[in-house]
Amino acid sequence: MSIRVLGSGLATSVQDLGRPGYYHLGIPISGAMDRYALRVANMLVGNSEDAAVLETVFLGPELEFTEDAVVAVTGAQLPPKVDGVQRETWTAFSVKSGQTLSFDFLQHGARAYIAVSGGIDVPLALGSRSTYTLGALGGLAGRNLQSGDELHTGISQGKVGNTRRSVPDKFKRLPDSPACLRVIPGLYWHRLQEQSGQRFFAETWKVATEADRIGYRFRGGSPLDFVEREQPFGAGSDPSNIVDSCYPYGSIQVPGGTEPIVLHRDAVSGGGYFMLGTVISTDMDYIGQLQPNMEVQFMPVDMETALSARRDRKAMLDEVRRLVS
Amino acid sequence: MTARYSFGGDDHIFVEIDEQMSLEAFFKSLSITNAVRDAQIEGVTEICPANASYQIKFDPDRISATDLLAELQQLEAAAESSDSHLKTRVIDVPVYYNDPWTRATLMRFRERHQDPTGTDLDYAARINGFDSVAAFIQAHCANPWFVTMVGFVAGLPFMFQMVDRARQIEVPKYLRPRTDTPKLTVGYGGCFSCIYSVRGAGGYQMFGITPMPIYDPEQSTSYLQDFMVFFNPGDIVKFRSINREQYDDYLIQVEQGRYEPIVRSFNFSLNAYYQNIDQYNVNIGEMLNVN
């Protein structure tokens, strides 16, 4: 045992890069909502980039260490404190046996990633340590942390000596306000009247309170207008209904044509609502950092733009690797 | 039935086989996704068949979207010419219809329902033209069902009944989804039956409950030790109506690790099925040889 959970925070869970390969059975990929932040946190403490960390949202946990460790907190601006003394985010620092790691109030973003040297060691479930709470799978007993839990860490793989290791400001990524989410229109886009589709992208939306690892809901824009049709057999009577299909990660469904929902890492894998397009893979990380009531603009882009954004993200990670290793 | 292709962001291809639900559309989706799996295409990370569509997730760093699209279109052309046979299993699923737990739950959410005065079964029986709930339950368990999709949440089967269109049951979902559904509830929405694999939110009408575990992340259930999810797309399910006493007895068997579902291997032929649907279904029922 090396970490005792004194306080759980709002919703803190063990996450890594997820468990691909089971979506056809309704088991989503899970893993860090902000994968970039998870990778950088692991790099800072000398772990392999896919090691399991703690993902915490809005309100951090309180953790007592029973062994010495190196820790880094990335993602949201959620200032860490060791025995009450503040430490930097996006910077490796040491925590001695007997010391307590806690957090100050959230300043920016939504989800912080707490990497501990050696990685959080819970049993692998279908190849991953990520927690999928809806299916009670992975992580610590398939659920979020509770006070009284005990966490083990693995044996550190990298060089840990270099505390105070940090990344330059330009690599501390968080969304701007209003946040821009780039979308490739498609899937059932043709169900929308042209003007309604244009209005969806022109209007400013706000993150609703129903925003979690399954999906983020948005409100504040106009209801959608559908192309009239006789509903196909099996689709259901509402114009926003389709014959239940798969849902891509990042797909934007609009039940009843009113409030868009972007599915995230713990996505429901399918259902009967039409989708108007999909957030590009690069911008998925940003969604995990959005707070309720934040303004968001959806922006239509083509495949070329999406792939170029993906290349830029890879180049950025490569640069961080060079700086940190 | 001409498939419609669309990119889902930069890492999914979504393929709608048909706008409407049919066994043909499902078979085409299943045979193309099986072909994609067999082809072992580099860069493909998820292959998800659905009721009348399918979806592929891929890694754009390993295969380009346009190359993958071209491969899928070729596989679609090959699937057109294949005959519709399926090596699958037939599974007996005992159901305690009109049980006290789903009834208590549906009463809690009555204001979200189309007909607050009755039960979900009363409503479904009436709008589908049945004289009684008993007759409706008989229709639900008389003919078998194809598992046409597994998902929404872990291990949840969507099932499409093996009858002609005129006899398909259709029921709308709740006006507003419930925030609670008992685990292992047998539900209905649109033209699909389902079994809720976990407790949680849901919009399907609730008809009953099965004692048979279908998802076990701890893998302590004897027949889920190899894999935690029981159902696969393409399975054939036959519901069997049981009473409270039988239900309680099954629960004890499950708890003691003695329960094993009745499962038979089966070669399904779409052509033979269409030649005489009722006789074909009778033969499927007899394979299970229970009661």
Side-chain angles (χ1 to χ4, degrees), chain A residues 132-172:
Chain A
Y132 166 48
T133 51
L134 203 55
L137 180 67
L140 190 75
R143 57 163 172 78
N144 290 334
L145 298 192
Q146 293 170 358
S147 51
D149 282 341
E150 292 176 355
L151 291 168
H152 298 264
T153 55
I155 292 161
S156 187
Q157 296 168 354
K159 308 170 297 216
V160 184
N162 194 3
T163 55
R164 304 202 58 76
R165 191 152 58 173
S166 187
V167 294
D169 282 352
K170 69 167 177 167
F171 296 107
K172 303 173 183 175

Side-chain angles (χ1 to χ4, degrees), chain B residues 55-177:
Chain B
Q55 174 179 303
I56 305 293
K57 183 165 192 280
F58 63 97
D59 178 355
D61 303 335
R62 285 153 68 200
I63 185 168
S64 87
T66 44
D67 287 354
L68 179 56
L69 182 63
E71 288 215 42
L72 296 181
Q73 282 166 332
Q74 274 180 12
L75 291 171
E76 184 200 345
E80 298 266 89
S81 56
S82 73
D83 56 349
S84 298
H85 281 268
L86 181 67
K87 248 175 102 82
T88 183
R89 357 175 246 177
V90 176
I91 301 154
D92 166 71
V93 177
V95 182
Y96 179 17
Y97 289 97
N98 219 348
D99 66 286
W101 304 281
T102 57
R103 201 138 38 124
T105 307
L106 68 87
M107 294 318 289
R108 272 166 56 208
F109 294 100
R110 220 58 213 140
E111 85 290 352
R112 303 182 187 213
H113 194 271
Q114 288 84 354
D115 180 8
T117 60
T119 66
D120 292 7
L121 274 168
D122 292 338
Y123 172 70
R126 192 180 72 242
I127 66 166
N128 281 281
F130 288 89
D131 295 337
S132 66
V133 165
F136 178 78
I137 290 172
Q138 173 57 22
H140 190 261
C141 62
N143 285 294
W145 302 71
F146 253 111
V147 174
T148 50
M149 178 169 166
V150 177
F152 178 59
V153 293
L156 181 153
F158 288 82
M159 290 161 284
F160 184 64
Q161 197 166 27
M162 295 162 62
V163 291
D164 47 67
R165 173 74 65 88
R167 284 188 285 168
Q168 298 267 337
I169 299 164
E170 277 194 280
V171 193
K173 297 173 187 177
Y174 271 46
L175 297 173
R176 286 184 299 128

Side-chain angles (χ1 to χ4, degrees), chain A residues 1-3 38 40-49 51-54 63 65-73 91-97 101 113-121 151-163 165:
Chain A
M1 195 268 284
S2 57
I3 298 172
L38 171 134
V40 176
N42 275 322
M43 283 183 221
L44 287 168
V45 301
N47 289 345
S48 66
E49 283 176 36
V53 309
L54 296 178
L63 307 169
F65 284 66
T66 59
E67 282 167 31
D68 295 354
V70 177
V71 172
V73 178
T91 304
F93 55 88
S94 74
V95 180
K96 299 282 174 218
S97 176
L101 175 68
Y113 292 83
I114 308 163
V116 180
S117 50
I120 303 297
D121 190 16
L151 291 168
H152 298 264
T153 55
I155 292 161
S156 187
Q157 296 168 354
K159 308 170 297 216
V160 184
N162 194 3
T163 55
R165 191 152 58 173

Side-chain angles (χ1 to χ4, degrees), chain B residues 192-211:
Chain B
F192 299 106
S193 211
C194 83
I195 304 173
Y196 283 88
S197 52
V198 297
R199 184 179 176 181
Y204 276 30
Q205 310 277 340
M206 297 184 291
F207 293 168
I209 197 159
T210 175

Side-chain angles (χ1 to χ4, degrees), chain A residues 19-27 29 126 132 134-137 184-188 190 229 232-234 243-249 267-272 275 278-282 303 306-307 310 314, chain B residues 4 6-12 14 16 19-21 45-48 50-51 53 55 57 59-61 65 149-155 158 160 165 168 170 173 191-192 198 204 215 217 227-229 231-232:
Chain A
R19 66 174 61 77
Y22 303 96
Y23 204 40
H24 65 292
L25 299 173
I27 300 175
I29 191 163
L126 302 179
Y132 166 48
L134 203 55
L137 180 67
I184 298 185
L187 305 173
Y188 290 84
H190 59 278
R229 68 165 175 182
F233 174 77
V243 169
D244 294 53
S245 78
C246 302
Y247 288 152
Y249 295 106
V268 289
S269 69
M275 303 157 277
T278 311
V279 174
I280 66 173
S281 60
T282 306
M303 181 63 87
L307 292 175
R310 205 177 154 97
K314 280 193 87 170
Chain B
R4 184 175 67 78
S6 178
F7 292 121
D10 48 318
D11 54 1
H12 302 80
F14 180 95
E16 184 186 66
E19 274 199 320
Q20 57 179 335
M21 182 57 196
T45 60
E46 306 270 8
I47 302 165
C48 306
N51 300 307
S53 57
Q55 174 179 303
K57 183 165 192 280
D59 178 355
D61 303 335
M149 178 169 166
V150 177
F152 178 59
V153 293
F158 288 82
F160 184 64
R165 173 74 65 88
Q168 298 267 337
E170 277 194 280
K173 297 173 187 177
C191 63
F192 299 106
V198 297
Y204 276 30
Y215 170 68
F227 196 68
M228 60 185 69
V229 169
F231 286 110
N232 282 300

